[in-house]
Amino acid sequence: MRALWPLDPSVAHLNHGSFGAVPSPVLAEQDRWRTLMDSNPTGFFWRFLPDALDNARVAVARFLRADPDGFVFATNATTAINTILASLELTSRDEVLVTDHGYGAIRLAAERACKLSGATLVVHQVPIPVESAAELVDAVIAGITDRTMIAIVDHIASPTGVVFPVADLVRELRGHEVLSLIDGAHAPGMVALDLCDLDADFWTGNFHKWCCAPRGAAGLYVRADHRERIAPLVTSWNAKERFVKSFGWLGTADYTPYLTVPAAIGFMEDLGWERLRRHNRELAAYGAAVVRDALDTPAPTEADVFEGMSLLALPEGSPDTIVGTRALSARIAEELGAEVAAFPWRDHSYIRLSAQAYNAPAEYEALAAGLPRLLS
Ligand SMILES: Cc1ncc(COP(=O)(O)O)c(C=O)c1O
């Protein structure tokens, strides 16, 4: 399996979650598109690209079980969420709700949107440990007030890897007349999706993480009743068109990541989604368990709320700033030959471990063997 990815064999790549990793056959497919583009740039952009992009868009919408009329490509989840925030016309009466499991850059984007509009950002704490996933729903809903206009909720949280029950959340939020923006940056590929069923007001997800597409490939879904008011961040030739066409051209760029998403999905599908998801879920849990045993630290929660990423708390006294945890990641890479995501969250420091098709138990066991010495 490992040979299908051009990953450095001397490194244990235990951080798929941050930047993904593109398999060689998918890179070859992107190369094919790039060669086509550069064999005749004018023909490619004027005559070939519009239909090719639309075919890719519709195929990917089908994979997500999304209405293709509400689905467009975006460079990444960050851009997609900024797009929604910029289009919403927040006012000083509104609150934007995010949780403390959210991705830092998205919180900053929400903070900026609030500052520009006079709205209020509410960063709501969602406690872990929890007994069950249902508690997560109640905890998010407890952050709503009668001023909450929109809640941005991660499907799979960035710092903790916790999988939120987004279907229940969307339903509850709608019941409280709060718009839902589901940040599914990690969702496509890690979990099965049905965006029609989910029926969120807004959704975004990255294909360059768990679908292993080239970087710069994400999606934005907008529910039918909001499509008129959602415009791209960048005004370009299609500005006077309606959604989805308004997003079809955002200036000269390399659109090959989008064109390659169907091939990436096909590649992963050939590995078998169910088999792959089980492998990743079990391996991530195993990896965290062996490292926790070695460090003698407790599980952050016993509830069954993880998929392809797991979380382990570092012992007291470990670095607890971004600079400190980055330095720790660098030491782990240099001395133990493993790439891991170490970061502070709340008042503590953690390592988030990913498991993807190319990972194996021995990589986590080696980390468990070396980490205690490095932290002592
Ligand atoms: C929950 C979440 N949202 C947003 C992002 C940002 O993704 P991107 O850098 O592709 O925009 C990430 C990245 O890890 C994430 O985990």
Side-chain angles (χ1 to χ4, degrees):
M1 191 63 80
R2 173 76 171 247
L4 291 169
W5 272 261
L7 291 164
D8 180 345
S10 69
V11 177
H13 300 275
L14 306 181
N15 183 26
H16 187 87
S18 286
F19 306 111
V22 191
S24 302
V26 177
L27 285 172
E29 175 67 4
Q30 187 182 21
D31 272 354
R32 194 181 67 76
W33 287 116
R34 284 192 167 138
T35 303
L36 191 68
M37 174 167 66
D38 278 299
S39 67
N40 180 354
T42 306
F44 180 84
F45 280 103
W46 278 354
R47 294 186 294 278
F48 184 83
L49 185 62
D51 283 349
L53 259 183
D54 214 50
N55 291 340
R57 189 183 63 76
V58 171
V60 175
R62 200 176 309 125
F63 166 70
L64 299 169
R65 298 183 190 276
D67 171 7
D69 293 342
F71 178 76
V72 294
F73 282 120
T75 315
N76 46 49
T78 307
T79 304
I81 292 177
N82 273 275
T83 302
I84 301 303
L85 288 169
S87 295
L88 274 183
E89 295 179 359
L90 294 161
T91 72
S92 57
R93 288 187 309 279
D94 297 321
E95 284 179 2
V96 176
L97 176 67
V98 299
T99 82
D100 64 343
H101 290 243
Y103 187 66
I106 300 304
R107 188 193 296 190
L108 290 172
E111 196 176 297
R112 178 162 190 263
C114 287
K115 196 169 170 201
L116 291 173
S117 60
T120 305
L121 178 68
V122 175
V123 183
H124 183 64
Q125 285 226 354
V126 173
I128 53 168
V130 284
E131 298 266 312
S132 71
E135 273 182 38
L136 296 166
V137 178
D138 296 341
V140 174
I141 297 303
I144 292 177
T145 72
D146 55 4
R147 290 176 53 202
T148 311
M149 189 236 207
I150 185 166
I152 307 177
V153 185
D154 290 21
H155 189 166
I156 295 135
S158 169
T160 56
V162 166
V163 181
F164 280 69
V166 284
D168 294 341
L169 270 166
V170 168
R171 204 173 317 113
E172 284 288 321
L173 289 167
R174 184 153 300 136
H176 288 79
E177 295 182 8
V178 173
L179 298 178
S180 52
L181 196 178
I182 300 301
D183 179 352
H186 289 275
M190 197 197 285
V191 291
L193 290 170
D194 185 331
L195 293 194
C196 271
D197 233 35
L198 181 65
D199 202 27
D201 292 287
F202 309 102
W203 174 95
T204 182
N206 281 327
F207 304 109
H208 52 228
K209 290 187 188 283
W210 297 88
C211 286
C212 295
R215 285 168 207 91
L220 167 64
Y221 177 77
V222 177
R223 199 171 185 255
D225 42 345
H226 306 301
R227 288 174 199 161
E228 287 297 322
R229 60 171 164 158
I230 302 300
L233 279 181
V234 172
T235 303
S236 186
W237 282 107
N238 292 9
K240 296 200 171 159
E241 303 283 355
R242 303 173 73 176
F243 197 92
V244 301
K245 212 163 179 202
S246 52
F247 281 75
W249 177 261
L250 301 179
T252 305
D254 184 352
Y255 291 82
T256 63
Y258 301 165
L259 297 173
T260 310
V261 177
I265 291 170
F267 173 88
M268 300 300 273
E269 211 162 67
D270 287 348
L271 300 182
W273 282 119
E274 274 318 305
R275 177 171 153 244
L276 183 64
R277 286 177 186 139
R278 189 175 346 109
H279 169 272
N280 294 351
R281 185 188 318 120
E282 290 175 359
L283 187 57
Y286 171 78
V290 288
V291 180
R292 276 198 298 259
D293 277 354
L295 294 175
D296 199 20
T297 52
T301 179
E302 297 294 342
D304 185 15
V305 288
F306 297 101
E307 285 283 334
M309 296 192 295
S310 54
L311 186 67
L312 56 105
L314 293 175
E316 289 302 330
S318 302
D320 59 0
T321 61
I322 289 189
V323 172
T325 49
R326 272 294 157 84
L328 176 64
S329 288
R331 272 194 73 201
I332 294 172
E334 280 158 25
E335 297 182 33
L336 305 179
E339 293 289 354
V340 301
F343 48 82
W345 185 65
R346 293 191 180 154
D347 303 329
H348 206 80
S349 47
Y350 293 85
I351 285 181
R352 188 192 68 192
L353 291 174
S354 298
Q356 185 48 287
Y358 52 77
N359 291 122
E363 296 175 304
Y364 305 86
E365 290 158 9
L367 178 66
L371 197 54
R373 174 183 52 80
L374 213 136
L375 289 171
S376 62

